[in-house]
Amino acid sequence: MHLMSDSMGVAPASARDPVRSLEAALQREQKKVALVQEVSRALSETGDLDALLSLIMAKVTELMEADRSTLFMVSEDGRALWSKISQGSDRVEIRLAVGEGIAGWVAQTGQPTIVNDTSKDPRFARRFDASTQFQTRSVLCAPLISRGRTIGVVQVINKEGGKFTQGDLELLLTLVEPCAIAIENAILFQRTEQLTITDDLTRLFNSRYLNLYIGREIKRCKRHGIPLSVIFLDLDGFKSVNDAHGHLAGSRTLTEVGRILVEAVRESDILARYGGDEFVVVLPETPPSGALVIAERIRKAIESHVFLRDQGLEARISASFGIASYPDHALTPEGLIQKADQAMYRVKERDKNGIEVAV
């Protein structure tokens, strides 16, 4: 019977195991090729930087069969690393000095590395494991190099069921090389796009972006039946600062006003320099009563601030405020700005340094 089974093509177990191993290895390679192709398609099709980075790191973690992975970006001054995207972790932001830890060493040298026993590697920064109660056993790390400059580092942690190999490193390098160029291009595009919607002086949004944003918010307000308020403010006494101290001092004053606004509003609020010494604050999901509270907070902050102190001067200004809300006072971006502007001018004509709600 045994001879008949063999003659009918049933191989012994010892012969079948290598075949199964080969099939499994081929399946793994096919999976890797498919994942690399998927990332390559995303690099050419995805314009959203965060979506691109999330996809890349998800695929890196899957390809490397690892517990966790993190993409670090190098700061503009080249001195620090900060975690941009993490997979499989608690999303805790990590900051490293270039040269600190294994990722910092890779950023500093531009060299990839494999560490399969972190307890024996002096480069390993133990403070992060100590603070998160996570145990990092092994690390695979590769630089993101674009146009000869290291712009980031990909760090993969804890190979599932084994050690990182030279093959893993070669695969990671194959993946990150085109990623680095795509990431830098996406960052440059973001910065260019940001320049078109922000004010050069104050770094607040400009009027172009303001109108687009209010238009989108009004559509959302219509869908959900929620209010939206706009504060229009114009500085009182700004011309006297320019006349007394020059236009450079005037520009510094506007920059200080921008900082006061940032500190006075909520994270969800939008700030814009409308033109000259005029500013607009957009308050999502806020009725006129809520806008009054925020406008008063800003009014007091500007009134009490001593401007140009770092220039050895002491300038004082105030501001006049107008408030308009959707749907109470207008139904369009232009209507809201106009109504708030008109309310502000009534304050100007009266006694300045005050607040009025549109009618």
Side-chain angles (χ1 to χ4, degrees), residues 11-257:
S14 59
R16 290 199 302 271
D17 288 342
V19 173
R20 288 175 179 171
S21 297
L22 180 59
E23 288 176 346
L26 287 172
Q27 287 174 355
R28 285 195 299 271
E29 289 305 312
Q30 288 170 351
K31 182 181 178 182
K32 288 178 180 179
V33 170
L35 287 172
V36 170
Q37 288 174 340
E38 186 177 349
V39 171
S40 298
R41 282 196 302 272
L43 290 173
S44 61
E45 297 172 1
T46 306
D48 185 324
L49 178 60
D50 286 342
L52 175 64
L53 297 181
S54 294
L55 174 65
I56 289 170
M57 295 312 296
K59 296 308 177 186
V60 163
T61 309
E62 187 177 352
L63 278 170
M64 297 297 113
E65 300 175 343
D67 286 347
R68 298 184 173 192
S69 66
T70 300
L71 171 65
F72 292 95
M73 300 303 298
V74 176
S75 61
E76 288 190 27
D77 62 10
R79 297 180 181 179
L81 290 172
W82 51 278
S83 54
K84 174 72 174 174
I85 299 288
S86 295
Q87 290 288 330
S89 68
D90 298 328
R91 306 295 192 274
V92 176
E93 185 172 290
I94 300 172
R95 288 187 177 272
L96 294 164
V98 167
E100 179 188 7
I102 295 170
W105 180 88
V106 170
Q108 186 176 57
T109 63
Q111 299 297 316
T113 190
I114 300 173
V115 177
N116 275 315
D117 187 351
T118 56
S119 67
K120 297 179 180 178
D121 196 301
R123 297 172 297 179
F124 180 62
R126 289 167 176 76
R127 63 186 177 95
F128 298 105
D129 277 9
S131 62
T132 61
Q133 306 303 310
F134 180 78
Q135 184 181 2
T136 302
R137 300 183 304 275
S138 56
V139 175
L140 176 64
C141 215
L144 285 165
I145 299 176
S146 178
R147 300 175 177 94
R149 184 173 65 91
T150 299
I151 63 168
V153 172
V154 174
Q155 178 172 271
V156 188
I157 294 175
N158 293 356
K159 175 86 169 183
E160 294 177 358
K163 296 182 177 181
F164 290 115
T165 66
Q166 188 64 30
D168 291 328
L169 179 57
E170 290 171 1
L171 179 59
L172 183 60
L173 291 172
T174 299
L175 192 61
V176 300
E177 185 177 353
C179 289
I181 297 171
I183 289 168
E184 184 171 40
N185 287 341
I187 291 171
L188 291 173
F189 176 78
Q190 268 193 353
R191 288 175 181 168
T192 302
E193 193 175 48
Q194 191 72 14
L195 290 174
T196 68
I197 63 174
T198 55
D199 173 57
D200 290 342
L201 181 63
T202 63
R203 302 302 179 191
L204 304 180
F205 290 113
N206 58 24
S207 57
R208 175 178 175 271
Y209 178 78
L210 178 69
N211 290 323
L212 292 172
Y213 177 80
I214 296 176
R216 288 202 302 265
E217 279 299 297
I218 285 177
K219 290 178 182 178
R220 192 170 72 90
C221 291
K222 286 179 180 178
R223 287 197 304 271
H224 301 290
I226 54 179
L228 171 75
S229 290
V230 168
I231 300 172
F232 195 107
L233 66 106
D234 184 278
L235 301 180
D236 308 320
F238 178 70
K239 184 176 182 299
S240 64
V241 174
N242 268 336
D243 291 345
H245 306 296
H247 289 287
L248 182 59
S251 295
R252 295 295 294 263
T253 300
L254 293 174
T255 301
E256 288 185 48
V257 170

